[in-house]
């Protein structure tokens, strides 16, 4: 099921099915229905928005590692978030000296900084003898190149992506919707992944707000109109001009301009704006176009004015005497404009003009009747591209009648460069809307979630019932503060709802077990443990539980109790099997203090549940996408649901070698001790210390080689041995670094000094659910502790 929380559960009798809004998860929905997401590469505007502000090939000046107080010019080879891969100029195609640096912490400067600040430019020692005249070399190297912008290397905009440079309050100029030579200033009210909510300067009514993607050709930097000899006038549409007097408009513009000049919008925001192509339209030509006011049908339109070689005006054909003309300004690449007969050739209905008497519309008769000519095909150079979209693919799309709303959408037709989209979850049904494949109002699945914006999704049919009878149970509680054991991630447990149910026993239990499985470090392992939970005395039914881990799917059949009188014991048995507090979930609600006193117990208190080794299913964790008794088979890994684009993920400097004898552990305090079978608390602590110490010493020679990579000011001097740090000590250290926002994770997962020294980049990414950039920053701080430990305490 793609629903994460069941609001109403099913009874065998007395149930009433209704449509109800429930939580929606794209990945689960696509897997459940077998549907296909539109490829993220089809959304060109989104791809551009994810690119770093730094581009490969840019030049900058960077501190010379081999010589203090000297600098040298480097080239950006590639980017990964706020990380840059650099190569000193002079190395040519030799990659051996490439190095990564963090824009937020490294000393980076635009080309010319050294000359302005009397600093020394000196090539690295390794290539010092390669050229006799380095000045001449630099002149050739820098001629025609582009320097990294200074404002992206320092100050509040440092390291930000292009989209992130647009902050609330920024001022841009917007081309008038009806006069292409007229612009007016607008203020950014909201930036959702590059989709901007704008309000005209001088207009304080949110009813006039407009939504545009930052790449829209109507948007320009402040000062554009003046530089290009264009008019700066209040907007003409919707009678906005009448809201203020001429002097009030001027005053509002002056105030906004003064405010904007204090913190101007970087011009890098507009680096990806497309240049307009010249058009070949003439006044009087006719064509077909997706209706600009109701984008649910295609209608005949006419070119009624040509402004210049870039812009022309189109008017929707309406032959009624009292018609109010519908105008729109277009350019050669405007979405939705089509040649005459396009609908006929593609089997699409064409809306006949209002007031046209004949019931059967025919272009030849219509052109003769109006005395007009059809726009030639040369005016439509890209009328057939589809950009990889196919029927029945899914995406997210703007509701054309409510531009602030984004909806789950399915492609019902693809004709040439047009898509027909069925928007789901609308309170009032509407026809399929028509969008161009280049529209900036469509987005890949997961885009709203990635940008923390609400998504209107499908309504799910659920069945409601009264809770009674022996097959029903009351609410089951998830007590977040109880000990979560070695298998479950305490941080993920904390994100679960506090209760599930009431409802049918098997359904409530299946839902809560699914939540626990998805909160595990290794869901497949938890599935295997849950298979062992059964009792011949129980009245059970078989249910299939699913899990996903590292792109693989796991399934397991489990027997779940059906009657309410057995629910409490079943929950307790599951907790025992997972070595967590017996009250972690079940009918008992724990407020401040758990009856088991699990808050103050040692982290190995519940390992007595597993004193003897138990058998396991034949295939265990490797059974994929089928019954666990069937032979394992490879399953094609599903493409990620809209993720931030990373150009490179192989990072230098954080590779470690682990001894095969070292216990494979999740590197949290609880799991380290679970892996060690000890007799007494005293020997347990001693052996844990020895195990950690052996592990660290084994890696010492590897990390000693890394110490030379640390600058003197980057090295730590520790007052106490990190092996003896408590969880609070670890949290205090992380808080003191540039990874302070991650300190909460260390607190939740009870990571003490011993666990900290075992953390590596792969385990940090896996256990803490961190993306590559933050994980590397965190590992850098952990490595500082390790290096200090080796130099101060390891002997």
């Amino acid at each position: 099921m793609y629903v994460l929380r069941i609001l109403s559960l099913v009874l065998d009798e007395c149930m009433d099915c209704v449509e109800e809004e429930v939580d929606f998860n794209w990945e689960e929905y696509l897997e459940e229905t077998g549907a296909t997401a539109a490829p993220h590469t089809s959304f060109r505007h989104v791809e551009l928005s994810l690119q770093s502000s730094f581009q490969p090939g840019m030049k900058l000046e960077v501190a010379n590692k081999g010589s203090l107080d000297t600098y040298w010019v480097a080239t950006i080879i590639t980017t990964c978030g706020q990380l840059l891969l650099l190569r000193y100029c002079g190395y040519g195609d030799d990659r051996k000296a490439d190095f990564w640096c963090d824009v937020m912490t490294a000393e980076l400067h635009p080309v010319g900084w050294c000359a302005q600040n009397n600093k020394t430019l000196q090539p690295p020692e390794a290539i010092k003898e390669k050229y006799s005249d380095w000045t001449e070399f630099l002149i050739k190297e820098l001629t025609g190149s582009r320097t990294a912008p200074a404002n992206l290397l320092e100050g509040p905009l440092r390291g930000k992506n292009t989209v992130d440079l647009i902050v609330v309050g920024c001022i841009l100029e917007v081309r008038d919707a009806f006069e292409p030579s007229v612009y007016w200033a607008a203020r950014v009210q909201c930036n959702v992944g590059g989709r901007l909510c704008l309000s005209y300067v001088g207009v304080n009514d949110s009813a006039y707000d407009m939504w545009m993607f930052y790449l829209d050709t109507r948007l320009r930097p402040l000062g554009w109109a003046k530089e290009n000899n264009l008019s700066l006038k209040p907007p003409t549409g919707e009678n906005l001009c009448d809201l203020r007097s001429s002097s009030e408009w001027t005053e509002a513009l002056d105030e906004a301009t003064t405010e904007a000049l204090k913190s101007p919008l970087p011009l890098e925001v507009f680096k990806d704006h497309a240049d307009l192509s010249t058009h070949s339209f003439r006044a009087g030509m006719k064509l077909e176009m997706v209706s600009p006011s109701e984008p649910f049908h295609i209608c005949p339109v006419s070119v009624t004015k040509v402004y210049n070689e870039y812009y022309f005006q189109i008017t929707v054909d309406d032959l009624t005497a009292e018609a109010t003309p519908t105008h729109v300004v277009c350019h050669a690449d405007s979405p939705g404009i089509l040649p005459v007969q396009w609908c006929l050739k593609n089997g699409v209905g064409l809306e006949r003009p209002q007031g046209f008497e004949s019931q059967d519309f025919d272009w030849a008769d219509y052109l003769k009747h109006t005395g007009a000519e059809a726009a030639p095909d040369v005016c439509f150079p890209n009328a057939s591209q589809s950009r990889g979209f196919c029927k029945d693919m899914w995406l997210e799309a703007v509701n054309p009648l409510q531009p602030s709303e984004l909806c789950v959408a399915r492609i019902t037709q693809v004709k040439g460069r047009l898509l027909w989209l069925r928007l789901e979850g609308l309170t009032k049904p509407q026809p399929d809307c028509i969008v161009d494949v280049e529209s900036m109002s469509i987005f890949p699945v997961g885009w709203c979630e990635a940008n923390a914006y609400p998504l209107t999704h499908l309504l799910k049919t659920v069945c409601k019932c009264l809770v009674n009878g022996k097959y029903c149970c009351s609410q089951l509680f998830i007590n977040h503060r109880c000990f979560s054991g070695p298998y479950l991630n305490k941080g993920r447990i904390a994100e679960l709802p506090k209760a599930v149910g009431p409802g049918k026993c098997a359904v409530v239990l299946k839902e809560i077990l699914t939540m626990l499985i998805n909160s595990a470090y290794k869901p497949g392992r938890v599935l295997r443990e849950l298979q062992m939970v059964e009792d011949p005395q129980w009245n059970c039914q078989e249910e299939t539980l699913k899990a996903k881990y590292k792109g693989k799917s796991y399934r397991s059949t489990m027997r779940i109790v059906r009657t309410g009188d057995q629910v409490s014991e079943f929950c307790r048995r599951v907790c025992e099997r997972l070595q967590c507090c017996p009250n972690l979930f079940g009918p008992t609600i724990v407020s401040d203090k758990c009856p088991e006193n699990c808050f103050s117990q040692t982290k190995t208190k519940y390992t007595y549940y597993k004193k003897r080794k138990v058998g396991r299913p034949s295939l265990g964790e490797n059974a994929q996408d089928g019954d666990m008794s069937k032979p394992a088979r490879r399953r094609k890994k599903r493409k990620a649901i809209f993720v931030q684009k990373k150009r490179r993920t192989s990072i230098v400097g954080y590779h470690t070698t682990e001894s095969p004898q070292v216990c494979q552990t999740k590197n949290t305090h609880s799991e380290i001790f679970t892996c060690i079978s000890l007799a007494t608390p005293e020997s347990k602590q001693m052996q844990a210390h020895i195990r950690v110490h052996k592990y660290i010493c084994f890696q010492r020679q590897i990390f000693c080689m890394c110490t030379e990579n640390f600058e003197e000011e980057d090295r730590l001097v520790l007052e106490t041995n990190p092996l003896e740090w408590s969880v609070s000590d670890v949290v205090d250290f992380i808080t003191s670094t540039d990874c302070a926002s991650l300190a909460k994770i260390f607190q939740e997962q009870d990571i003490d000094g011993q666990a900290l020294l075992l953390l590596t980049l792969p385990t940090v990414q896996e256990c803490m659910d961190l993306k590559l950039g933050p994980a590397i920053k965190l590992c850098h701080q952990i490595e500082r502790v390790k290096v200090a430990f080796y130099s101060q305490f390891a002997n």
Side-chain angles (χ1 to χ4, degrees), residues 5-124:
R5 299 183 186 90
I6 296 182
L7 303 179
S8 302
L9 303 169
V10 183
L11 268 181
D12 289 333
E13 65 275 338
C14 301
M15 53 188 174
D16 183 25
C17 294
V18 296
E19 279 195 335
E20 191 168 300
E21 186 172 336
V22 291
D23 288 348
F24 179 78
N25 179 286
W26 263 120
E27 189 172 9
E28 292 180 3
Y29 176 75
L30 294 175
E31 182 178 5
E32 178 188 285
T33 60
T36 303
H40 62 83
T41 52
S42 298
F43 304 86
R44 181 175 172 274
H45 60 297
V46 177
E47 291 284 284
L48 288 173
S49 74
L50 298 179
Q51 291 183 2
S52 169
S53 298
F54 296 96
Q55 299 297 311
M58 280 184 173
K59 309 286 186 183
L60 43 76
E61 293 176 358
V62 60
N64 204 330
K65 289 187 175 182
S67 178
L68 293 176
D69 297 324
T70 66
Y71 300 81
W72 191 239
V73 178
T75 303
I76 297 175
I77 303 301
T78 190
T79 65
C80 182
Q82 65 187 42
L83 300 178
L84 305 180
L85 182 64
L86 302 179
R87 182 181 303 164
Y88 285 121
C89 291
Y91 275 93
D93 295 329
D94 188 352
R95 297 181 297 174
K96 67 183 179 184
D98 291 2
F99 60 98
W100 288 94
C101 68
D102 188 331
V103 177
M104 302 304 293
T105 58
E107 187 180 359
L108 305 174
H109 304 285
V111 172
W113 180 86
C114 284
Q116 295 171 3
N117 293 275
N118 297 319
K119 299 293 182 180
T120 303
L121 269 180
Q122 178 180 304

Side-chain angles (χ1 to χ4, degrees), residues 727 730-736 739-749 778:
V727 175
V730 172
V731 171
D732 289 343
F733 168 73
I734 298 298
T735 304
S736 70
C739 299
S741 61
L742 305 178
K744 183 180 178 182
I745 300 177
F746 287 79
Q747 183 75 57
E748 291 175 345
Q749 299 196 18
L778 177 58

Side-chain angles (χ1 to χ4, degrees), residues 194-214:
R195 190 164 186 261
L196 310 179
C197 179
L198 303 169
S199 62
Y200 281 118
V201 166
V203 178
N204 299 320
D205 189 345
S206 61
Y208 296 103
D209 287 356
M210 51 196 165
W211 286 87
M212 294 184 199
F213 204 70
Y214 81 104

Side-chain angles (χ1 to χ4, degrees), residues 481-681:
R481 298 188 60 196
C482 286
F483 175 60
S484 56
Y487 299 123
L488 304 178
N489 184 314
K490 190 174 181 67
R492 295 175 192 162
I493 291 289
E495 296 174 355
L496 299 181
K498 293 182 178 179
V500 176
K504 192 175 178 182
C505 294
V507 179
V508 174
L509 287 169
K510 180 179 179 180
E511 178 66 16
I512 208 167
L513 289 173
T514 300
M515 291 179 180
L516 294 178
I517 291 167
N518 289 317
S519 300
Y521 292 111
K522 287 189 176 181
R525 175 66 185 274
V526 171
L527 272 176
R528 191 172 68 202
E529 294 294 332
L530 291 178
Q531 277 194 305
M532 304 297 174
V533 180
E534 61 179 305
D535 189 315
Q537 305 298 321
W538 286 345
N539 180 357
C540 296
Q541 70 181 54
E542 289 191 349
E543 292 287 348
T544 299
L545 301 179
K546 301 177 184 178
K548 296 199 78 173
Y549 180 62
K550 289 188 175 180
K552 297 179 181 178
S553 291
Y554 304 93
R555 297 190 183 193
S556 173
T557 300
M558 180 183 180
R559 293 177 60 78
I560 297 178
V561 297
R562 299 178 62 211
T563 58
D565 59 332
Q566 296 173 341
V567 168
S568 180
E569 179 63 18
F570 177 83
C571 293
R572 191 171 187 88
R573 292 276 196 93
V574 169
C575 291
E576 288 180 1
R577 194 72 215 176
L578 299 181
Q579 300 181 44
C580 58
C581 174
N583 292 321
L584 180 66
F585 85 96
T588 302
I589 185 170
V590 174
S591 52
D592 293 330
K593 188 174 181 181
C594 173
E596 291 283 320
N597 202 26
C598 67
F599 309 127
S600 60
Q601 296 295 336
T602 64
K603 300 304 180 184
T604 51
K605 171 177 171 59
Y606 299 102
T607 56
Y608 67 83
Y609 295 138
K610 293 194 69 178
K611 288 184 179 178
R612 61 185 181 86
K613 188 175 180 180
V614 294
R616 65 179 64 183
S618 57
L619 295 175
E621 222 168 304
N622 294 322
Q624 301 174 26
D625 226 26
D627 192 285
M628 299 187 77
S629 63
K630 296 179 181 178
R633 60 186 175 92
R634 291 187 179 273
R635 180 176 187 266
K636 184 177 180 182
K637 185 175 180 180
R638 182 182 297 280
K639 290 183 179 178
I641 301 293
F642 184 70
V643 293
Q644 188 80 9
K645 188 185 211 175
K646 296 185 179 74
R647 292 184 177 271
R648 181 176 179 135
T649 56
S650 56
I651 306 300
V652 178
Y654 295 97
H655 295 237
T656 61
T657 304
E658 298 189 19
S659 166
Q661 275 74 39
V662 176
C663 175
Q664 292 183 356
T665 170
K666 283 294 179 182
N667 299 322
T668 64
H669 189 187
S670 58
E671 290 179 294
I672 290 172
F673 284 95
T674 303
C675 294
I676 306 172
S677 177
L678 302 170
T680 65

